[in-house]
Amino acid sequence: AVMGGLDGVVRRSIDRAGLQAALDLPSHLEILTIVALGKPRETVVREDGSPDVRPGWRNADHLERVPMRPLSELRIELPGF
């Protein structure tokens, strides 16, 4: 998608039951996350920082600044290790 000039946004807060019904999906399938794809209208600049301290913002020139935690702050726990 990115190579084709598309960008995406992950959405987790969705009406799962409504989407399941609209798409006529079998009940044994569970919708966890959806990804909206489209042509970007903004340029995203990722900055070091915490989204808890300062939320992202955008300006009139379609430049969106998104604070991202550094990789050193990520913690992954693997069961059994």
Side-chain angles (χ1 to χ4, degrees):
V2 172
M3 289 173 43
L6 298 177
D7 201 355
V9 176
V10 175
R11 299 284 184 204
R12 290 186 181 92
S13 179
I14 54 177
D15 176 7
R16 289 173 175 78
L19 184 57
Q20 184 118 11
L23 297 175
D24 195 26
L25 294 176
S27 61
H28 71 279
L29 297 177
E30 180 182 3
I31 298 171
L32 302 176
T33 302
I34 62 171
V35 177
L37 296 175
K39 295 257 183 209
R41 292 186 299 177
E42 300 167 321
T43 300
V44 175
V45 177
R46 290 167 177 84
E47 300 179 335
D48 286 341
S50 171
D52 299 330
V53 175
R54 179 176 180 200
W57 56 274
R58 55 179 58 89
N59 64 17
D61 295 324
H62 301 287
L63 182 68
E64 180 179 6
R65 297 194 176 271
V66 179
M68 306 283 285
R69 288 184 175 86
L71 286 176
S72 61
E73 287 188 23
L74 294 179
R75 179 177 165 185
I76 300 172
E77 292 187 20
L78 301 174
F81 288 93

